[in-house]
């Protein structure tokens, strides 16, 4: 009688265990499904890595092109600045290359200048022409604005008497040529000219020679002129 009761209980327990195992088996995926998911994920990752490499390569190529374009742009900007500088230099040379002046001793009236016991700079105050403004009518000094060959001429004169007339052209502190005339009576004049190679800033002017005199009036007998021949 006892055996008959226990056996149905065992069947009931086994049946419960079997149902529970079936439910657990249903909840857990099988190995074949896991492998399929892993393969799919691996393939997806591989594709993503490949696409990332392509993007990185394209980004590098794009960055290299941008850098090349920036370098080329900088070269063009540098070349443009050089051309602008050359144009400015040419404009400046053209501007300073136009140099010419002509002046006479007295602005108004008539009379003599000198004699003096030492050499004295002559200041030519009547200036009808001063292209380039290289001659200063307040000091009598011409200053070279550009390196080049310049030609100068000067004419002097005075009435006859004890004192002669003489004027020397000076470059910086060097005596170059002199114009000299001594007329015992009546009116005498003299002239001279010279071509000089001047550097920028060199000065040229006339000095009245010691114990000489020059005359000028509205007819402008005593004059000083110069002009640039060509730049060098």
């Amino acid at each position: 009688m006892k055996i008959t009761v226990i056996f149905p209980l065992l069947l009931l327990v086994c049946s419960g265990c079997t149902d529970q195992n079936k439910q657990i088996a249903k909840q857990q995926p099988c190995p074949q499904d896991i492998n399929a998911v892993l393969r799919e994920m691996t393939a997806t990752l591989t594709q993503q890595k490949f696409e990332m490499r392509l993007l990185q390569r394209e980004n590098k190529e794009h960055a290299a092109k941008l850098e090349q374009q920036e370098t080329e742009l900088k070269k063009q900007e540098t070349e443009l600045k050089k051309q602008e500088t050359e144009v400015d230099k040419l404009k400046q040379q053209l501007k300073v290359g136009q140099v010419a002046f002509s002046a006479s001793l007295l602005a108004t009236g008539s009379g003599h200048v000198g004699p003096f016991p030492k050499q004295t700079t002559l200041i030519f105050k009547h200036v009808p022409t001063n292209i380039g403004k290289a001659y200063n009518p307040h000091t009598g000094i011409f200053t070279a604005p550009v390196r080049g060959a310049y030609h100068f001429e000067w004419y002097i004169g005075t009435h006859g008497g004890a004192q002669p007339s003489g004027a020397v052209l000076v470059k910086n502190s060097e005596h170059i040529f002199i114009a000299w005339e001594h007329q015992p009576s009546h009116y005498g004049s003299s002239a001279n000219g010279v071509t000089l190679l001047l550097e920028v800033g060199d000065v040229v002017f006339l000095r009245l020679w010691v114990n000489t005199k020059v005359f000028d009036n509205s007819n402008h007998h005593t004059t000083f002129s110069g002009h640039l021949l060509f730049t060098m």
Side-chain angles (χ1 to χ4, degrees):
M1 186 68 180
K2 290 181 181 179
I3 295 172
T4 304
V5 174
I6 292 172
F7 183 73
L9 289 173
L10 289 173
L11 289 175
L12 181 62
V13 171
C14 290
S15 176
C17 291
T18 301
D19 294 338
Q20 187 176 3
N21 289 333
K22 288 180 179 180
Q23 293 176 358
I24 293 173
K26 289 180 180 179
Q27 293 176 357
Q28 294 180 351
C30 64
Q32 292 83 356
D33 295 336
I34 294 175
N35 289 332
V37 171
L38 289 174
R39 283 195 299 272
E40 184 177 354
M41 292 178 64
T42 301
T44 302
L45 288 173
T46 302
Q47 181 65 24
Q48 290 178 348
K49 288 181 179 179
F50 177 73
E51 291 177 355
M52 286 180 62
R53 291 193 188 98
L54 286 178
L55 287 174
Q56 289 175 351
R57 187 190 306 170
E58 290 177 357
N59 287 337
K60 287 182 179 179
E61 291 176 355
H62 187 62
K65 288 181 180 179
L66 285 177
E67 185 177 357
Q68 184 178 2
Q69 290 176 354
E70 290 178 356
T71 302
E72 187 65 25
L73 183 61
K74 288 181 180 178
K75 287 182 180 179
Q76 292 178 359
E77 290 177 349
T78 302
E79 185 65 24
L80 181 60
K81 288 181 180 179
K82 287 174 63 177
Q83 292 177 0
E84 289 177 348
T85 302
E86 290 298 324
V87 170
D88 290 339
K89 285 182 179 179
L90 290 174
K91 287 181 178 179
Q92 187 66 20
Q93 288 178 1
L94 180 62
K95 185 177 180 180
V96 301
Q98 298 174 346
V99 181
F101 78 96
S102 187
S104 63
L105 190 61
L106 299 181
T108 58
S110 64
H112 289 87
V113 175
F116 302 112
K118 62 179 182 178
Q119 292 184 14
T120 304
T121 300
L122 290 172
I123 301 175
F124 294 81
K125 297 180 179 180
H126 177 67
V127 186
T129 304
N130 194 10
I131 301 171
K133 306 298 182 183
Y135 174 75
N136 189 333
H138 303 290
T139 62
I141 295 174
F142 173 87
T143 304
V146 65
R147 185 178 190 270
Y150 295 80
H151 183 73
F152 298 92
E153 293 180 357
W154 62 106
Y155 297 81
I156 60 173
T158 189
H159 296 94
Q163 284 89 19
S165 63
V168 60
L169 184 133
V170 181
K171 171 189 172 183
N172 298 326
S173 59
E174 178 186 2
H175 287 194
I176 304 299
F177 291 162
I178 189 172
W180 176 276
E181 173 68 20
H182 188 193
Q183 189 77 11
S185 61
H186 305 293
Y187 186 87
S189 64
S190 179
N192 212 334
V194 65
T195 297
L196 298 174
L197 173 61
L198 300 181
E199 302 293 339
V200 176
D202 282 347
V203 295
V204 176
F205 53 94
L206 288 177
R207 279 179 178 162
L208 184 67
W209 200 254
V210 178
N211 292 324
T212 65
K213 63 181 180 178
V214 290
F215 173 81
D216 198 24
N217 60 15
S218 59
N219 293 319
H220 311 298
H221 299 278
T222 300
T223 62
F224 180 34
S225 301
H227 63 275
L228 173 66
L229 296 174
F230 50 85
T231 60
M232 298 181 63

